[in-house]
Amino acid sequence: MRLSELSGKEIVDVKKAERLGVLGQTDLEINEGTGQIQALLIPSVKWFGFRKQGGEIRVPWQHIKKIGSDMIIIDVHEEEKVEE
């Protein structure tokens, strides 16, 4: 799958059934050696497109359960979410 095919998909947490963001408004952590995506870095709080609070949620790639036509479903336990 190409990065352009992922762009614009909504990221949804399956446990909370809430929208975390849209890929394209998030950052990616990429392994420089292999070129593989390691994690999604999602801004923690946004208000009218601007960050209201600093920080982000790091979602490791292995927590992505399904990539659909318009959504990316993730399953991350609350204690595993890392806010930076």
Side-chain angles (χ1 to χ4, degrees):
M1 179 172 281
R2 295 177 184 255
L3 182 58
S4 61
E5 294 172 307
L6 291 174
S7 184
K9 294 183 188 291
E10 289 190 58
I11 302 167
V12 177
D13 184 340
V14 71
K15 294 260 195 261
K16 291 185 175 182
E18 73 179 1
R19 179 183 181 268
L20 297 177
V22 175
L23 196 63
Q25 297 173 347
T26 62
D27 288 325
L28 300 176
E29 184 179 294
I30 298 175
N31 181 313
E32 291 180 24
T34 64
Q36 294 181 328
I37 298 172
Q38 299 294 307
L40 303 177
L41 303 174
I42 305 167
S44 59
V45 177
K46 282 195 163 190
W47 184 70
F48 294 111
F50 298 101
R51 285 189 187 176
K52 188 175 177 183
Q53 297 177 348
E56 55 195 18
I57 300 170
R58 183 180 182 276
V59 179
W61 186 257
Q62 62 266 25
H63 291 286
I64 294 175
K65 296 301 175 191
K66 184 77 175 173
I67 298 175
S69 60
D70 58 352
M71 263 182 237
I72 298 173
I73 306 294
I74 64 168
D75 184 10
V76 180
H77 300 287
E78 196 62 35
E79 62 272 6
E80 293 179 5
K81 287 185 180 176
V82 177
E83 294 206 26
E84 298 176 352

